């Protein structure tokens, strides 16, 4: 990883190297979520940059957006991309973040205390879109077979996997697109041809907290 100097678009097709003192505009917005009780941290909310949360009249939990919905809203994402957003808990009750498919919490600093602001980092782990295929698993083996080459080509290392005989938190380790063989990060616990779901993943981590 290295640091790069930005190129600045000054308008009228004039692009120059960023110089000391140059300010860089972004399109950060404030998106309000006013659901009374538990709500959803939608892709639009996370993408906005600042979430203003109001409405709850007691302790509440907001569910993260599914990874597939986040990728659908941001087709430009690649594995390793990251972005930040702020969550402003404007009510006098604690907020807890709950996971959805493909969303993973990192560390303990994810809840937002009453009348606090928390800064989050979202990191993309796998961006291939959600797929559901019938595939063959073998007990005590990480190898999945029975996929066509075309099906395997829609998958990528880092995707999550769920289905009969697949342990929680199992991911795709490798994909052989020519043979349709997928290797998982954990052994299957059953043998058979079963529906498997492959889904993108992202991680969310709380970085800091402050008063409103």
């Amino acid at each position: 990883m290295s640091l790069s100097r930005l190129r600045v678009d000054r308008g009228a097709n004039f692009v120059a190297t960023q110089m000391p003192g140059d300010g860089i505009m972004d399109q950060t917005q404030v998106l309000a979520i006013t659901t009374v009780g538990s709500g959803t941290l939608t892709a639009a909310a996370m993408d906005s940059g600042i979430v203003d949360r109001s409405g709850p009249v007691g302790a509440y939990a907001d569910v993260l957006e599914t990874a597939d919905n986040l990728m659908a809203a941001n087709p430009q994402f690649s594995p390793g991309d990251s972005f930040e957003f702020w969550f402003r808990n404007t009510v006098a009750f604690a907020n807890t973040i709950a996971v959805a498919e493909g969303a993973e919490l990192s560390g303990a600093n994810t809840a937002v205390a009453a009348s606090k602001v928390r800064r989050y980092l979202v990191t993309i782990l796998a961006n291939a879109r959600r797929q559901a295929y019938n595939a063959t698993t073998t007990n005590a083996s990480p190898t999945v077979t029975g996929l066509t080459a075309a099906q395997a080509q829609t998958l990528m290392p880092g995707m999550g996997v769920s289905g009969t005989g697949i342990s929680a938190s199992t991911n795709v380790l490798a994909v052989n697109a020519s043979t349709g063989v997928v290797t998982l990060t954990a052994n299957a616990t059953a043998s058979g041809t079963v529906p498997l779901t492959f889904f993108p993943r992202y991680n969310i981590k709380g970085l800091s907290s402050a008063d409103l």
Side-chain angles (χ1 to χ4, degrees), residues 13-149:
N13 296 318
F14 177 32
V15 179
T17 300
Q18 180 189 13
M19 299 300 292
D22 282 341
I24 303 299
M25 293 186 295
D26 62 28
Q27 295 192 13
T28 299
Q29 299 177 348
V30 177
L31 190 146
I33 300 178
T34 60
T35 307
V36 177
S38 299
T40 300
L41 270 176
T42 62
M46 289 190 282
D47 289 348
S48 70
I50 301 173
V51 178
D52 250 9
R53 188 66 167 93
S54 62
V57 293
Y60 64 104
D62 282 337
V63 181
L64 289 169
E65 184 66 273
T66 67
D68 194 58
N69 285 344
L70 185 62
M71 302 312 141
N74 298 278
Q76 74 277 15
F77 278 159
S78 296
D81 285 347
S82 63
F83 66 94
E84 296 182 9
F85 73 94
W86 294 84
F87 185 100
R88 302 179 73 251
N89 184 12
T90 67
V91 300
F93 306 98
N95 165 272
T96 302
I97 302 297
V99 299
E101 184 183 76
E104 302 175 5
L105 296 176
S106 178
N109 299 319
T110 52
V112 188
S115 303
K116 294 284 187 179
V117 180
R118 186 171 289 285
R119 174 172 158 241
Y120 290 103
L121 175 68
V122 178
T123 302
I124 308 306
L125 304 177
N127 66 315
R129 298 296 305 278
R130 188 181 194 270
Q131 306 291 340
Y133 299 128
N134 288 330
T136 301
T137 61
T138 302
N139 186 41
S141 170
T143 301
V144 174
T145 60
L147 297 175
T148 67

Side-chain angles (χ1 to χ4, degrees), residues 139-202:
N139 186 41
S141 170
T143 301
V144 174
T145 60
L147 297 175
T148 67
Q151 290 172 333
Q153 289 169 9
T154 67
L155 308 179
M156 68 184 301
M159 295 184 79
V161 189
S162 63
T164 301
I166 304 298
S167 302
S169 301
T170 296
N171 302 320
V172 174
L173 179 64
V175 178
N176 188 323
S178 61
T179 63
V181 174
V182 175
T183 304
L184 306 182
T185 57
N187 291 339
T189 60
S191 296
T193 299
V194 295
L196 296 182
T197 301
F198 301 86
F199 49 87
R201 295 168 54 232
Y202 71 90

